[in-house]
Amino acid sequence: MFESVGLHHYLVVGLILFCFGLFCVLTRRNAIGVLMGVELILNAANINFIAFSRYSAGSYDGHVFSIFVIMLAAAEAAIGLAIVLSIYRRAKSIDVNELQGLHW
Amino acid sequence: MTAAHGHEIVTHTSNLLRWIPLLPLIGAAINFLVGSRIQRKMGRGAVAGLATAMPAMSFVLVVMSFLQLKGYPTDERIIIDHVWKWIHIGTLNADIAFQFDPLSAVMCLVITGIGSLIHVYSHGYMDDEPAAWRFFALLNLFMFAMLCLVLGDNLLMMFLGWEGVGLCSWGLIGFWFSEMANARAGNKAFIVNRVGDFGFTLGVFLLFWTLDSHGAGTVVFRELANSVHLIANDQLWGTTVATVVTLFLFVGATGKSAQIPLYVWLPDAMAGPTPVSALIHAATMVTAGVYMIARMNFLFDMAPFTGQVITTIGALTAFFAATIGLAQNDIKKVLAYSTVSQLGYMFIGVGVGAYAAGVFHLVTHAFFKACLFLGSGSIIHAMHHEQDMRNMGGLKNYMPRTYWTFLIATIAIAGIPPLAGFFSKDEILWKAFNYNPAIWAVGFAAAGMTAFYMFRLVFMTFFGECRADHHTVEHLHESSGFMTWPLVILAVGSVFAGFLGVPAALGGSNMFEQWLEPVMAHSAHGGGHDVHGGHHNLTLEYGLMAGSVLFAMCGIFLAHLMYNRKSINPDGIAQIAGGRLHTLIYNKYYIDEIYQVVWVDGSLGLAKMLSWFDKNVVDGIVNGAASVTKLVSFINGRIDLHVVDGLVNKTASLVHGVGGAVRRIQTGSINAYLYVIVIVVTAVLFARTW
């Protein structure tokens, strides 16, 4: 029953996930929510990598890339959360709308 | 050791199997997503009812599959449900597939059966909990993960469940996370488990690699059993690969199943709600290590050294945890150390190669320990969350049902025939005696202590005068039916579960061992020692049985003298050896403190050292470079000031003007930046496509 699944299906799933992630990043006011949106976007990229890898030459390049992305996402989450934590300590808030300090 | 391989095992397929783990997952999903709304609109009962119905339906499915399995000939008892392809990379093939064989059947019956009862009980226990939906969602998710662990047909599925139960355990220990201590206990459990899981993954990797080098890389249990003989001659670090792999896997088991040296999280895990302690930290999750070793028995049989390590660790854990249990005053802490101790017995069983005996103790223990924990929960609930036994006493008049069920389970754990604990514990002790009498002696001593501290608990809680304050006594009452009926069922189980495995010496046929025979077939001659002993030296076996029953009786009698008749003053005993021994045991051998100093403070110290290095050495280099640059620039500046300045000043004022105009774009609002990024990237992409 899953034989009819093709490359396009994966790309559409990736696209939907990307859009969700983007929506999340743009609309969330909670900084942690923004970080979670970034994770979604990274995973959307992962799905594309894997899908192209699976349906093209059959090399493992896509797999390797997606593992890099996963590691990158882990590092990003760790550093991102650390930054959020220190922002919270300074500003007592993680609402990105209230954090306007990053300017001239 | 080179048991039958090469021929294909006859298997059956069934599409029903996937629903056993899936139903609790659906329950968890519903309660996570809309549970808070359901609870607000339709009350707590709706949430609890939904969460209870799912594992109950799973239980029905398990029973159906069990009956189906029973109908097949012994060597065909395996049902497969292949759901879909999961990971296919190179030679690694792991699928979402479930396998139902006699061992999985036993585990599933315990998990769904006792799990459903505990769901019912939780409805009574959490009757004033505003976030019940979160509790039940996590409980259902736990059921899903645990069922994946025991039903998965490959090591990766097992690992999925293995990590899943850890996650749910973290969430449920820290369920009342507004208190820092609870949140800390959850974190501790999770982090200690991660240490073990790391060993587990290393074991899986090494096993797969080694097999792959023989062209037989696989993680599916059935194929592993057939091809594991290929690695028999491989060497690594001066020993066989099988030994290294099994030692790594055992590290994973010590984490999940709370053995020395990673047992420290389990007593702290009692911070969670009591039904959680009963389900996760007594009956099911903590037995995952025992299940894993029984499942991988063909591999563990190839590594007699690992068997020795497991047996030694198991015996030491059984003994030390029992000694700690002697002096605790928190009712749940006593039960927690008793669980650690009983898990030690199970590891003695699987360590000596008597896998069936280990799993048998797992089953009987699930009954009586769940009953004990739920009983203690009933007490704690009635006493308004009082857990100190010194403030209890005389409860048998107020809570008769709780008292009787608790007493039955206590007799079962003490190993008095014909209750469940006697058969399983004596089976293990008998196998241990054949393996090494020293191990038997340690287990025997621990059994006597178990009888003592469990009856100490009973006498302190249920007998004598009630020592609670006046207000609490006034409100003392038996718990509701939701809580007492599961207790009654579990107590009945504690009485009769033992009859599943009556040994040949007592005129039984050990149905339980026969039932597991197909799974353990490869290990029939394993380990170079006789695991089917018992036919020869009947007198010895009877002697050992009588000895352990007598010893348990002594323990009970001593507890009676000290805590019921009070003819021996416990404080006098505590003063033996200047009271130092008692202090040592009371403080759990200071293991937590030692771990704090060595590991926690150690890594904090390392972090501080690195931070110092960063501040002084790295920053020093950077600052040095900076001062050199400063000097060079100073010289440069002199030239600059007199030569290039005129031209530069004009440029600078221009830049200043432009910058002043443009800096308005820099609003500081992160959202604005994000929008700009998105719009520009989209624009560039469109520009490229045109």
Side-chain angles (χ1 to χ4, degrees), chain B residues 292-628:
Chain B
M292 187 268 288
I293 292 177
R295 170 60 75 207
M296 303 290 284
N297 62 74
F298 45 84
L299 190 64
F300 280 83
D301 271 341
M302 291 168 64
F305 175 71
T306 312
Q308 282 171 24
V309 173
I310 296 175
T311 315
T312 315
I313 296 270
L316 287 178
T317 311
F319 183 79
F320 280 107
T323 56
I324 297 174
L326 295 176
Q328 298 305 310
N329 287 323
D330 182 323
I331 185 165
K332 283 182 76 181
K333 283 274 158 74
V334 176
L335 292 176
Y337 281 105
S338 145
T339 305
V340 175
S341 171
Q342 298 298 313
L343 287 165
Y345 277 106
M346 295 175 209
F347 277 99
I348 297 177
V350 292
V352 302
Y355 303 103
V359 176
F360 184 37
H361 195 53
L362 186 164
V363 173
T364 57
H365 174 256
F367 277 105
F368 54 68
K369 189 49 70 62
C371 186
L372 288 170
F373 262 117
L374 294 185
S376 77
S378 174
I379 297 164
I380 294 165
H381 193 68
M383 302 275 297
H384 300 286
H385 294 274
E386 172 66 73
Q387 299 195 7
D388 195 326
M389 294 191 293
R390 285 169 297 192
N391 297 331
M392 296 177 183
L395 293 183
K396 74 175 168 160
N397 301 324
Y398 301 98
M399 313 178 72
R401 269 201 206 167
T402 306
Y403 164 66
W404 281 109
T405 51
F406 201 95
L407 185 68
I408 290 169
T410 308
I411 299 173
I413 196 178
I416 304 297
L419 275 71
F422 166 74
F423 293 107
S424 54
K425 193 184 283 185
D426 261 38
E427 181 84 6
I428 288 174
L429 286 177
W430 169 236
K431 297 280 160 74
F433 189 83
N434 287 337
Y435 184 78
N436 182 350
I439 299 289
W440 170 83
V442 175
F444 178 74
M449 282 192 280
T450 307
F452 172 77
Y453 67 67
M454 284 310 299
F455 270 88
R456 168 178 177 264
L457 191 160
V458 167
F459 289 133
M460 279 179 85
T461 321
F462 289 106
F463 286 76
E465 289 294 305
C466 191
R467 295 178 293 275
D469 57 62
H470 185 65
H471 174 73
T472 315
V473 177
E474 259 183 5
H475 288 90
L476 266 181
H477 58 90
E478 179 62 283
S479 305
S480 68
F482 284 113
M483 291 168 74
T484 48
W485 279 109
L487 284 175
V488 171
I489 298 172
L490 286 170
V492 170
S494 312
V495 175
F496 293 107
F499 294 117
L500 292 172
V502 179
L506 293 178
S509 56
N510 209 340
M511 278 185 327
F512 195 82
E513 201 173 317
Q514 279 176 18
W515 170 250
L516 287 180
E517 197 75 47
V519 186
M520 316 299 176
H522 299 269
S523 66
H525 321 285
H529 48 80
D530 181 21
V531 291
H532 295 291
H535 305 300
H536 41 283
N537 208 336
L538 275 181
T539 340
L540 186 62
E541 191 170 355
Y542 286 136
L544 291 181
M545 274 181 200
S548 61
V549 172
L550 264 178
F551 195 49
M553 290 287 198
C554 291
I556 295 170
F557 188 62
L558 188 63
H560 168 72
L561 289 182
M562 280 168 71
Y563 294 100
N564 195 21
R565 286 236 333 251
K566 306 226 159 86
S567 48
I568 302 176
N569 186 2
D571 295 333
I573 305 265
Q575 287 312 314
I576 291 173
R580 286 221 194 99
L581 196 62
H582 180 260
T583 321
L584 187 67
I585 290 174
Y586 183 73
N587 290 303
K588 308 149 198 164
Y589 299 104
Y590 297 99
I591 294 288
D592 277 318
E593 285 76 4
I594 293 170
Y595 280 13
Q596 173 75 28
V597 169
V598 176
W599 300 113
V600 181
D601 293 350
S603 55
L604 285 179
L606 186 69
K608 269 198 193 120
M609 219 167 71
L610 288 177
S611 148
W612 179 88
F613 184 81
D614 196 41
K615 262 193 196 130
N616 293 296
V617 181
V618 178
D619 283 9
I621 295 170
V622 172
N623 287 341
S627 17
V628 172

